[in-house]
Amino acid sequence: MMTLAGERTAEGAISEHVVLRFGGVRLDRLKRQIFDGETPIPLGPRGFEILLALIEARGDLVSPEDLVARVWGRVHVDDGTVRAHVSKLRNALGRTQGGASLIQTESGRGYRLAAPITIEDKPSAPVREPRTQEGIPQSPSSLIGREAAINHLAALIRQNRLVTVAGAGGIGKTRLAQAVSTRLEREFPDGAVFVDLASVAKPERVPTAIATALGKVVLSGNPTEMLVAGLKDRSVLILLDNCEHLVEAAALFCEAMARGAPRVRIIATSREILRVEGEWIYRVDPLDIPPADLASAQQALSYSAVQLFAERAAAAGSFALGDHEAPYVCALCRALDGLPLAIEMAAVQAGALGVRCLAEQLGRLQLEDLGSRRTAITRHRTLTEMLQWGHDLLSSSERALFRRLSVFAGSFTAEDAAVAADESHPAVAVIRDLAALAAKSLLSTESDGYTRRFRMLVTTRHFALDRLRQEGEEATVRQRHALLMLERLRRGAPVQIDDVRAALDWSFAHGEAYTIGLPLTLASVPLWWSWQLVEECRARVDHALESADLAADPGTEMRLLVELFASLLQIDSHGRHMIAIAERALAIAEKLGDLPHQLRARWSLMVNAWNAGRFKVSAAHAEAFRELGLRNGDAAAILVGDRLTANVRHAMGDQIESARLLQSVLERLDRSDTPMDARLVYDQRSLALSTLAQVQFLRGEIGEAISTAQEAVREAESRTDPVSEFYALQQAACPTAIFAGRLDLAEKYLTRLETYGQRHRPYASWVPSLRGMILIRQGEVETGAKELAAGIARLDDRGISANHNRFKAELATALIEMGRLEPASHLLNELERQSETNGEGLCDPEILRLRAEIVRLSGGEQAQADALLKQALRVAVRQGAAIWELRSATSLAALWAASGLRTQARNLLGPICAKFRESNETPEVRAARQLFSTFA
């Protein structure tokens, strides 16, 4: 042996040798593994290539650019990716003594191996009968995303005589088996042999094909017996590739070999398992695909499907995966189900079409449009040829089931598969053939422990749909499928959302609007809401209204209208068009005497007026809602009506009556188990608590308000009601924490609101205003005022005015603090007009107090300021709003004290401060007590 540390030998000297040692680690180049003693150290293929590059540099520095060129080729990766792989390599080496320090980093320059390298002489081969087989053919391109599969499969083969690698066509069975066979070849003294059965047409020729691959000549007799006799004492690895069309013959050979040649190991690749004794099955999964919300190139490249696409696209042309291309590549990989063959073919097309065009057109492309490979075996030249190969192996009844199941866009159960049954193909045959299709890898399976579900890969489904159309069966099976979706939705059974979409699209496009489309639209509404797909719900309902003449069916029109309003409420403005929808629904409901939909429509009108800040109108609708409940003896409607009235009373400034009604509602809810319509009223308890928290704060019950807001959030969470949870966060929890000075708690709630906003656009509208208020209280007044103003403008653009007069009052306060008295005065003028016109009296005491502040700061008459503050006090007391009372009293006391009226100031402020317990400290309470202390 010789040591190379410090020596400069001929270029490539190291690369000629098989086994190297350094720092207590042994590297075997043929096995592509490193060992600590005899224990293998797990290391991925890229980590191994990085280590080889460092070894071959013989202690010299290797730049990140050189590592990228060697390990990733033309795939674009950044320095962070290189650093991450080097870190993983260090961690792997760190399992050996001193291994963690074997790789040194020079910041910004590169990496070097800091250990002498020892070369072991090549071991001489033992004397034995010369090998006659040619070994395992190598794939011309790298195998991506299969390292864990290779390790698992290798372990199975070491322990078992027969392992079948099963999976769908194009999923990479052959290349995986080849990679494993290559890794294991040196463990079999008599070698490894590759037998491709794709070109073998007749079962009786299977043993002869295997004998030929082994270098044996069969002159006469039974070739299987001859092979067993010849291999009974030999240690050979046989890879039988493409067994699916010769399953029985392959199974007979494997059984014979297992009985008579115990040292032989067989790997079989097949779409269908062999079903022989001692067979172990390894099912090949698709490559990892990224989620829908992933967009950056660095994140995308952590998924093997994207890695494969990027490498093959780069090989086909000048393609580099960047952040702009990443979303489209991710979408392509998802659409192709992570199927390697389909991804490789699509990657070749990316250079000509561009990834964006390819992703957008994929649903309309035929399988042949993804291209072909001239050098591939015939059945893998195109996806259609690949699928046709498997299709031709099916029985006639299996083919019928295969094409009929293509109507399922998502996964389905054996019960669902009954849509494929008819007189010629009864249910019992469906169950039998379903199992056969799964066994032949034309259906993938999954289980939650209770129910087994089946699914077609997208490419397979396209092929099967084409066969369904060719047979003229599509309309019949599609109708059965749509009716199945309708029946399952009506009884509340689980459905796949893509199947509902497909059923709706087909129904309206093929003359089934009245019989299936309209009832299916109505039945699917809870599904969209449960998935928070409110915009899709709106579009589906709107399409149903436009696609059918409902003059003869006013009941259906009414139900669609109320669902349309409920959807628009979450995603649209609150203008006249929504009023017209609700009024039309109400008119129909009244004519039909339909109480539930009268309530729905009346509620819609109330909420529309509320969101637009028209509280006088909203109050009238709330009262009408309650009256409907009273006239019909509907306790739930009365309860909801009281809660709605309490909301309006709060916004109009009557905190005393609002608190009374809310306490009554909560007491009745505690006694009642009456179910509520979640799309009409959401979670009643959470909503009542949310309003009560706001009322409690204004009444000076600060600690109670914070606790009530937290309870409102918990209540909504426990009911998995996202709308009520958003309302609790936005209306109660976040603003209450801000006003109470609990900014840490407010930040936590705002973060949750921002998360909601990312998933659902309307929720984001409230975030800037609340963030601005937090910034103002953190001392960043100017920045916070700008954020708050932007948030108010955003809400105004959406036509939302409910309760955000408090935001405007906060903005006026910030403007006064910055000395911008004129814009503050204009804003207060606007608030006064809105209060007078719409009845929103919530902030009236604060508007009067701020008016007085502007008079005082601008050098106006003290008597005017005094009068405004006294009026603010009277209004606050009438409203039962202790916080407004405290603020107004503090400003008035400060004004009097400055004029020498300290005794009057003390007598005014003392009793009001006494209303607030020590536990109810807020910034204004502390300010009032501090001022009061100066009067002693």
Side-chain angles (χ1 to χ4, degrees):
M1 300 205 291
M2 62 180 178
T3 299
L4 295 181
E7 296 181 6
R8 303 295 295 178
T9 57
E11 192 70 19
I14 291 179
S15 63
E16 296 174 357
H17 294 268
V18 172
V19 180
L20 308 169
R21 291 184 182 273
F22 59 95
V25 177
R26 177 168 60 88
L27 180 144
D28 189 317
R29 186 186 298 275
L30 286 180
K31 292 183 179 179
R32 293 184 67 80
Q33 280 188 298
I34 56 174
F35 298 83
D36 179 11
E38 297 302 318
T39 304
I41 301 172
L43 192 62
R46 290 201 166 102
F48 192 89
E49 284 299 322
I50 290 172
L51 183 56
L52 281 181
L54 297 175
I55 289 172
E56 292 172 9
R58 298 185 293 274
D60 288 344
L61 197 69
V62 181
S63 70
E65 293 76 16
D66 289 341
L67 287 178
V68 170
R70 170 166 181 155
V71 179
W72 283 273
R74 284 186 283 180
V75 176
H76 171 74
V77 296
D78 56 23
D79 289 347
T81 302
V82 177
R83 286 195 299 271
H85 280 80
V86 172
S87 176
K88 289 181 181 178
L89 176 58
R90 275 202 186 95
N91 290 339
L93 295 174
R95 302 182 186 188
T96 65
Q97 187 173 2
S101 61
L102 286 174
I103 299 176
Q104 294 181 346
T105 302
E106 292 191 18
S107 181
R109 298 186 61 212
Y111 310 89
R112 71 172 83 247
L113 188 69
I117 303 165
T118 301
I119 296 175
E120 288 191 2
D121 294 333
K122 297 178 182 178
S124 57
V127 178
R128 61 177 68 252
E129 179 183 342
R131 298 185 185 193
T132 56
Q133 55 271 23
E134 297 180 358
I136 306 299
Q138 299 299 302
S139 173
S141 56
S142 59
L143 187 62
I144 293 174
R146 298 299 193 194
E147 189 62 28
I150 291 172
N151 292 333
H152 187 181
L153 189 52
L156 282 177
I157 293 163
R158 289 187 180 105
Q159 298 167 9
N160 303 282
R161 295 185 189 178
L162 169 62
V163 177
T164 298
V165 180
I171 208 163
K173 301 182 294 294
T174 297
R175 293 176 63 186
L176 175 60
Q178 286 175 329
V180 174
S181 300
T182 299
R183 177 174 291 188
L184 297 178
E185 188 171 0
R186 289 179 59 82
E187 299 179 23
F188 292 86
D190 299 303
V193 63
F194 177 80
V195 185
D196 186 1
L197 298 179
S199 58
V200 179
K202 297 182 179 180
E204 60 269 20
R205 293 182 181 174
V206 169
T208 304
I210 297 170
T212 301
L214 285 163
K216 305 293 184 181
V217 178
V218 180
L219 297 176
S220 61
N222 187 320
T224 298
E225 291 180 358
M226 184 207 75
L227 286 171
V228 170
L231 296 175
K232 66 179 180 179
D233 298 320
R234 304 282 296 276
S235 178
V236 179
L237 176 64
I238 300 175
L239 171 50
L240 288 182
D241 194 33
N242 303 310
C243 298
E244 53 269 352
H245 62 306
L246 301 164
V247 168
E248 187 173 349
L252 290 171
F253 170 80
C254 291
E255 280 187 331
M257 197 61 63
R259 288 193 301 269
R263 298 178 64 197
V264 171
R265 293 287 188 272
I266 299 175
I267 307 174
T269 74
S270 178
R271 301 185 193 184
E272 182 177 1
I273 61 176
L274 304 186
R275 301 182 188 277
V276 298
E277 184 179 357
E279 177 186 26
W280 281 73
I281 312 300
Y282 183 86
R283 288 206 172 271
V284 184
D285 294 323
L287 295 176
D288 296 333
I289 55 176
D293 57 353
L294 189 150
S296 80
Q298 185 172 358
Q299 290 176 313
L301 282 169
S302 64
Y303 293 87
S304 53
V306 177
Q307 293 172 23
L308 177 64
F309 185 98
E311 181 175 291
R312 299 299 188 264
S318 56
F319 175 81
L321 181 66
D323 288 347
H324 176 72
E325 295 81 12
Y328 303 109
V329 173
C330 291
L332 280 165
C333 292
R334 288 193 300 273
L336 295 171
D337 281 320
L339 191 70
L341 180 61
I343 290 172
E344 289 182 345
M345 290 180 172
V348 173
Q349 297 296 311
L353 298 176
V355 290
R356 177 174 180 175
C357 177
L358 188 59
E360 292 173 347
Q361 296 294 322
L362 189 61
R364 292 184 286 274
L365 293 175
Q366 298 297 315
L367 294 179
E368 290 84 351
D369 294 332
L370 287 178
S372 62
R373 299 190 300 184
R374 292 189 183 90
T375 58
I377 58 177
T378 300
R379 62 186 174 83
H380 273 189
R381 286 178 185 167
T382 69
L383 289 172
T384 298
E385 289 174 327
M386 176 195 74
L387 291 162
Q388 189 67 50
W389 164 270
H391 183 264
D392 290 345
L393 300 176
L394 301 177
S395 68
S396 60
S397 65
E398 288 169 350
R399 290 179 189 176
L401 181 62
F402 173 66
R403 63 179 178 262
R404 292 172 186 176
L405 291 177
S406 65
V407 297
F408 287 101
S411 63
F412 55 91
T413 65
E415 178 188 2
D416 297 333
V419 301
D422 58 19
E423 293 180 0
S424 64
H425 199 226
V428 64
V430 167
I431 299 301
R432 179 198 65 215
D433 292 337
L434 188 66
L437 293 177
K440 294 174 181 179
S441 303
L442 287 168
L443 297 174
S444 60
T445 62
E446 56 192 43
S447 175
D448 58 7
Y450 300 96
T451 305
R452 180 168 295 277
R453 303 189 68 85
F454 303 85
R455 182 174 176 271
M456 277 190 188
L457 295 179
V458 172
T459 48
T460 305
R461 181 168 174 262
H462 280 305
F463 175 88
L465 270 173
D466 189 52
R467 299 303 174 278
L468 186 69
R469 293 179 186 121
Q470 290 177 15
E471 293 294 327
E473 297 177 334
E474 184 176 17
T476 300
V477 184
R478 288 279 194 192
Q479 184 185 53
R480 293 180 198 157
H481 173 262
L483 288 170
L484 173 67
M485 293 301 107
L486 178 59
E487 182 269 333
R488 291 184 71 85
L489 285 170
R490 281 177 167 170
R491 62 183 171 94
V495 292
Q496 295 288 298
I497 200 163
D498 284 339
D499 279 302
V500 176
R501 288 173 172 140
L504 282 167
D505 291 343
W506 180 84
S507 298
F508 283 106
H510 292 81
E512 297 285 354
Y514 291 99
T515 55
I516 301 176
L518 293 174
L520 185 58
T521 299
L522 287 167
S524 67
V525 167
L527 178 69
W528 310 122
W529 281 80
S530 68
W531 282 83
Q532 297 184 50
L533 297 172
V534 184
E535 292 195 39
E536 182 164 2
C537 183
R538 193 274 311 159
R540 294 288 182 183
V541 173
D542 209 19
H543 181 258
L545 284 164
E546 293 177 354
S547 299
D549 182 1
L550 294 170
D553 189 2
T556 296
E557 181 186 4
M558 171 191 67
R559 289 188 287 274
L560 289 169
L561 286 169
V562 294
E563 302 300 355
L564 178 60
F565 183 96
S567 302
L568 285 169
L569 183 63
Q570 297 300 314
I571 60 177
D572 208 342
S573 64
H574 306 280
R576 298 298 306 177
H577 68 294
M578 292 183 66
I579 298 174
I581 291 169
E583 287 179 341
R584 171 65 178 162
L586 179 60
I588 297 174
E590 289 176 339
K591 185 175 181 180
L592 296 177
D594 187 318
L595 176 63
H597 286 88
Q598 286 183 62
L599 291 169
R600 287 286 301 274
R602 184 65 73 178
W603 175 84
S604 300
L605 290 166
M606 192 284 301
V607 171
N608 181 271
W610 167 277
N611 284 328
R614 295 182 290 113
F615 292 101
K616 293 177 182 177
V617 176
S618 184
H621 287 303
E623 181 59 29
F625 186 103
R626 188 175 185 278
E627 284 297 321
L628 273 171
L630 285 169
R631 286 202 307 270
N632 292 277
D634 189 327
I638 297 169
L639 184 148
V640 175
D642 283 345
R643 186 191 66 77
L644 296 176
T645 301
N647 275 18
V648 177
R649 300 312 304 172
H650 161 65
M652 297 180 78
D654 188 350
Q655 308 312 320
I656 298 171
E657 178 64 9
S658 180
R660 186 192 69 78
L661 284 170
L662 289 168
Q663 292 292 356
S664 172
V665 165
L666 288 167
E667 289 170 5
R668 280 178 280 165
L669 280 170
D670 288 340
R671 299 194 301 266
S672 172
D673 57 359
T674 303
M676 299 289 180
D677 184 339
R679 283 164 289 122
L680 169 59
V681 292
Y682 312 111
D683 175 33
Q684 284 301 297
R685 182 172 178 79
S686 175
L687 294 180
L689 288 168
S690 297
T691 305
L692 181 60
Q694 301 169 71
V695 172
Q696 286 173 328
F697 182 86
L698 288 171
R699 289 168 62 85
E701 301 161 0
I702 312 303
E704 294 90 335
I706 291 175
S707 296
T708 301
Q710 291 172 331
E711 186 182 352
V713 174
R714 287 194 299 270
E715 182 77 21
E717 286 177 331
S718 69
R719 304 292 180 91
T720 61
D721 178 1
V723 177
S724 295
E725 187 177 351
F726 158 73
Y727 186 88
L729 288 167
Q730 172 263 319
Q731 284 283 341
C734 196
T736 300
I738 293 172
F739 292 133
R742 293 286 305 278
L743 300 186
D744 55 338
L745 188 59
E747 289 275 13
K748 184 182 77 170
Y749 289 138
L750 184 62
T751 299
R752 291 176 64 175
L753 271 176
E754 287 177 311
T755 302
Y756 274 103
Q758 291 169 2
R759 296 200 305 262
H760 192 36
R761 185 184 66 197
Y763 296 164
S765 300
W766 299 87
V767 170
S769 298
L770 293 166
R771 185 187 294 115
M773 290 167 62
I774 292 174
L775 289 170
I776 290 169
R777 279 162 174 73
Q778 289 173 337
E780 299 180 44
V781 180
E782 186 168 352
T783 302
K786 289 180 180 177
E787 188 84 11
L788 181 53
I792 291 170
R794 188 169 179 177
L795 290 168
D796 284 339
D797 287 343
R798 289 196 62 228
I800 300 175
S801 301
N803 260 2
H804 83 292
N805 274 8
R806 292 188 71 174
F807 293 158
K808 292 181 179 179
E810 289 292 310
L811 179 58
T813 303
L815 292 172
I816 291 170
E817 186 175 342
M818 291 188 291
R820 300 178 61 189
L821 303 183
E822 186 175 350
S825 181
H826 289 316
L827 187 55
L828 293 174
N829 289 338
E830 179 186 333
L831 287 175
E832 287 176 338
R833 286 193 301 271
Q834 289 176 346
S835 176
E836 183 178 348
T837 303
N838 297 323
E840 185 175 4
L842 175 70
C843 295
D844 283 356
E846 188 69 351
I847 295 169
L848 290 165
R849 186 187 72 83
L850 293 173
R851 279 277 186 220
E853 283 294 300
I854 292 175
V855 170
R856 183 181 66 82
L857 292 171
S858 62
E861 292 289 333
Q862 179 173 328
Q864 183 184 1
D866 187 286
L868 286 167
L869 289 170
K870 286 177 179 177
Q871 185 183 357
L873 268 172
R874 288 193 298 272
V875 176
V877 171
R878 185 175 69 246
Q879 289 188 354
I883 282 291
W884 295 151
E885 182 185 2
L886 181 71
R887 287 188 181 185
S888 299
T890 302
S891 295
L892 184 56
L895 183 67
W896 285 352
S899 303
L901 302 174
R902 298 176 62 82
T903 301
Q904 292 92 323
R906 177 183 176 83
N907 292 338
L908 170 68
L909 197 55
I912 298 175
C913 284
K915 294 180 180 180
F916 293 85
R917 301 190 303 272
E918 291 293 332
S919 60
N920 283 344
E921 284 284 337
T922 68
E924 50 259 274
V925 174
R926 285 191 293 271
R929 286 184 173 143
Q930 184 177 359
L931 177 62
F932 181 75
S933 69
T934 65
F935 301 148

CSV table of all heavy atoms in Angstrom, one decimal, residues 669-689:
chain,number,residue,atom,x,y,z
A,669,LEU,N,-78.1,29.6,24.8
A,669,LEU,CA,-77.3,28.7,24.0
A,669,LEU,C,-76.8,27.6,24.9
A,669,LEU,O,-76.7,26.4,24.5
A,669,LEU,CB,-76.1,29.4,23.4
A,669,LEU,CG,-76.3,30.2,22.1
A,669,LEU,CD1,-75.2,31.1,21.7
A,669,LEU,CD2,-76.7,29.2,21.0
A,670,ASP,N,-76.4,27.9,26.2
A,670,ASP,CA,-76.0,26.9,27.1
A,670,ASP,C,-77.0,25.9,27.4
A,670,ASP,O,-76.7,24.7,27.7
A,670,ASP,CB,-75.5,27.6,28.4
A,670,ASP,CG,-74.2,28.4,28.3
A,670,ASP,OD1,-73.5,28.1,27.3
A,670,ASP,OD2,-73.9,29.2,29.1
A,671,ARG,N,-78.3,26.3,27.3
A,671,ARG,CA,-79.4,25.4,27.6
A,671,ARG,C,-79.9,24.6,26.4
A,671,ARG,O,-80.7,23.7,26.5
A,671,ARG,CB,-80.6,26.2,28.2
A,671,ARG,CG,-80.3,26.9,29.5
A,671,ARG,CD,-81.6,27.3,30.2
A,671,ARG,NE,-82.4,28.2,29.4
A,671,ARG,CZ,-82.3,29.5,29.5
A,671,ARG,NH1,-81.4,30.1,30.3
A,671,ARG,NH2,-83.1,30.3,28.7
A,672,SER,N,-79.5,25.1,25.2
A,672,SER,CA,-80.0,24.6,23.9
A,672,SER,C,-79.0,23.7,23.2
A,672,SER,O,-77.8,23.9,23.2
A,672,SER,CB,-80.5,25.7,23.0
A,672,SER,OG,-80.9,25.2,21.8
A,673,ASP,N,-79.6,22.7,22.5
A,673,ASP,CA,-78.7,21.9,21.6
A,673,ASP,C,-79.3,21.9,20.2
A,673,ASP,O,-79.1,21.0,19.4
A,673,ASP,CB,-78.7,20.4,22.1
A,673,ASP,CG,-80.0,19.8,22.2
A,673,ASP,OD1,-81.0,20.5,22.0
A,673,ASP,OD2,-80.1,18.6,22.6
A,674,THR,N,-80.0,23.0,19.9
A,674,THR,CA,-80.6,23.2,18.6
A,674,THR,C,-79.5,23.4,17.6
A,674,THR,O,-78.7,24.3,17.7
A,674,THR,CB,-81.6,24.3,18.5
A,674,THR,OG1,-82.6,24.1,19.5
A,674,THR,CG2,-82.2,24.5,17.2
A,675,PRO,N,-79.4,22.6,16.5
A,675,PRO,CA,-78.3,22.8,15.5
A,675,PRO,C,-78.6,24.1,14.7
A,675,PRO,O,-79.7,24.5,14.5
A,675,PRO,CB,-78.4,21.6,14.6
A,675,PRO,CG,-79.9,21.1,14.7
A,675,PRO,CD,-80.2,21.4,16.1
A,676,MET,N,-77.5,24.8,14.3
A,676,MET,CA,-77.6,26.0,13.6
A,676,MET,C,-77.0,25.8,12.2
A,676,MET,O,-76.1,25.0,12.0
A,676,MET,CB,-76.8,27.1,14.3
A,676,MET,CG,-77.3,27.4,15.7
A,676,MET,SD,-78.9,28.3,15.6
A,676,MET,CE,-79.2,28.5,17.4
A,677,ASP,N,-77.6,26.5,11.2
A,677,ASP,CA,-77.1,26.5,9.8
A,677,ASP,C,-75.8,27.2,9.8
A,677,ASP,O,-75.8,28.5,9.9
A,677,ASP,CB,-78.1,27.1,8.9
A,677,ASP,CG,-77.7,26.9,7.4
A,677,ASP,OD1,-76.5,26.8,7.2
A,677,ASP,OD2,-78.6,27.0,6.5
A,678,ALA,N,-74.6,26.6,9.6
A,678,ALA,CA,-73.3,27.2,9.7
A,678,ALA,C,-73.2,28.3,8.6
A,678,ALA,O,-72.5,29.3,8.8
A,678,ALA,CB,-72.2,26.2,9.6
A,679,ARG,N,-73.8,28.1,7.4
A,679,ARG,CA,-73.6,29.1,6.4
A,679,ARG,C,-74.5,30.3,6.6
A,679,ARG,O,-74.2,31.4,6.0
A,679,ARG,CB,-73.9,28.5,5.0
A,679,ARG,CG,-72.8,27.6,4.5
A,679,ARG,CD,-73.3,26.7,3.4
A,679,ARG,NE,-74.1,25.6,3.9
A,679,ARG,CZ,-75.4,25.5,3.5
A,679,ARG,NH1,-75.9,26.3,2.6
A,679,ARG,NH2,-76.1,24.5,4.0
A,680,LEU,N,-75.5,30.2,7.5
A,680,LEU,CA,-76.3,31.4,7.8
A,680,LEU,C,-75.8,32.1,9.0
A,680,LEU,O,-75.6,33.3,8.9
A,680,LEU,CB,-77.7,30.9,8.1
A,680,LEU,CG,-78.7,32.0,8.7
A,680,LEU,CD1,-78.8,33.1,7.7
A,680,LEU,CD2,-80.0,31.4,9.0
A,681,VAL,N,-75.5,31.5,10.1
A,681,VAL,CA,-75.2,32.2,11.3
A,681,VAL,C,-73.9,31.7,11.9
A,681,VAL,O,-73.5,32.3,12.9
A,681,VAL,CB,-76.3,31.9,12.3
A,681,VAL,CG1,-77.6,32.6,11.9
A,681,VAL,CG2,-76.6,30.4,12.5
A,682,TYR,N,-73.2,30.8,11.3
A,682,TYR,CA,-71.9,30.4,11.8
A,682,TYR,C,-72.0,29.8,13.2
A,682,TYR,O,-73.1,29.3,13.6
A,682,TYR,CB,-70.8,31.5,11.7
A,682,TYR,CG,-70.8,32.2,10.3
A,682,TYR,CD1,-71.3,33.5,10.1
A,682,TYR,CD2,-70.4,31.5,9.2
A,682,TYR,CE1,-71.3,34.1,8.9
A,682,TYR,CE2,-70.4,32.1,7.9
A,682,TYR,CZ,-70.9,33.4,7.8
A,682,TYR,OH,-70.9,33.9,6.6
A,683,ASP,N,-71.0,30.0,14.0
A,683,ASP,CA,-71.1,29.5,15.4
A,683,ASP,C,-71.6,30.6,16.3
A,683,ASP,O,-70.9,31.6,16.6
A,683,ASP,CB,-69.7,29.1,15.8
A,683,ASP,CG,-69.7,28.6,17.3
A,683,ASP,OD1,-70.7,28.1,17.8
A,683,ASP,OD2,-68.7,28.9,18.0
A,684,GLN,N,-72.9,30.4,16.7
A,684,GLN,CA,-73.6,31.5,17.5
A,684,GLN,C,-72.8,31.8,18.8
A,684,GLN,O,-72.7,33.0,19.1
A,684,GLN,CB,-75.0,31.0,17.8
A,684,GLN,CG,-75.9,31.1,16.6
A,684,GLN,CD,-76.0,32.5,16.1
A,684,GLN,OE1,-76.4,33.4,16.7
A,684,GLN,NE2,-75.5,32.7,14.8
A,685,ARG,N,-72.4,30.9,19.5
A,685,ARG,CA,-71.7,31.1,20.7
A,685,ARG,C,-70.4,32.0,20.5
A,685,ARG,O,-70.2,33.0,21.2
A,685,ARG,CB,-71.4,29.8,21.5
A,685,ARG,CG,-70.8,30.1,22.8
A,685,ARG,CD,-70.6,28.8,23.6
A,685,ARG,NE,-70.0,29.1,24.9
A,685,ARG,CZ,-70.6,29.6,26.0
A,685,ARG,NH1,-71.9,29.9,25.9
A,685,ARG,NH2,-69.9,29.8,27.1
A,686,SER,N,-69.6,31.6,19.6
A,686,SER,CA,-68.4,32.3,19.3
A,686,SER,C,-68.7,33.8,18.9
A,686,SER,O,-68.0,34.7,19.3
A,686,SER,CB,-67.6,31.6,18.2
A,686,SER,OG,-66.4,32.4,17.9
A,687,LEU,N,-69.7,33.9,18.0
A,687,LEU,CA,-70.0,35.3,17.6
A,687,LEU,C,-70.6,36.1,18.7
A,687,LEU,O,-70.2,37.3,18.8
A,687,LEU,CB,-71.1,35.2,16.4
A,687,LEU,CG,-70.6,34.5,15.1
A,687,LEU,CD1,-71.7,34.5,14.1
A,687,LEU,CD2,-69.4,35.2,14.6
A,688,ALA,N,-71.4,35.6,19.6
A,688,ALA,CA,-71.9,36.3,20.7
A,688,ALA,C,-70.8,36.7,21.6
A,688,ALA,O,-70.8,37.8,22.1
A,688,ALA,CB,-73.0,35.5,21.4
A,689,LEU,N,-69.9,35.8,21.9
A,689,LEU,CA,-68.7,36.1,22.8
A,689,LEU,C,-67.9,37.2,22.2
A,689,LEU,O,-67.3,38.0,22.9
A,689,LEU,CB,-67.9,34.8,23.0
A,689,LEU,CG,-68.6,33.8,23.9
A,689,LEU,CD1,-67.8,32.5,23.8
A,689,LEU,CD2,-68.6,34.3,25.3
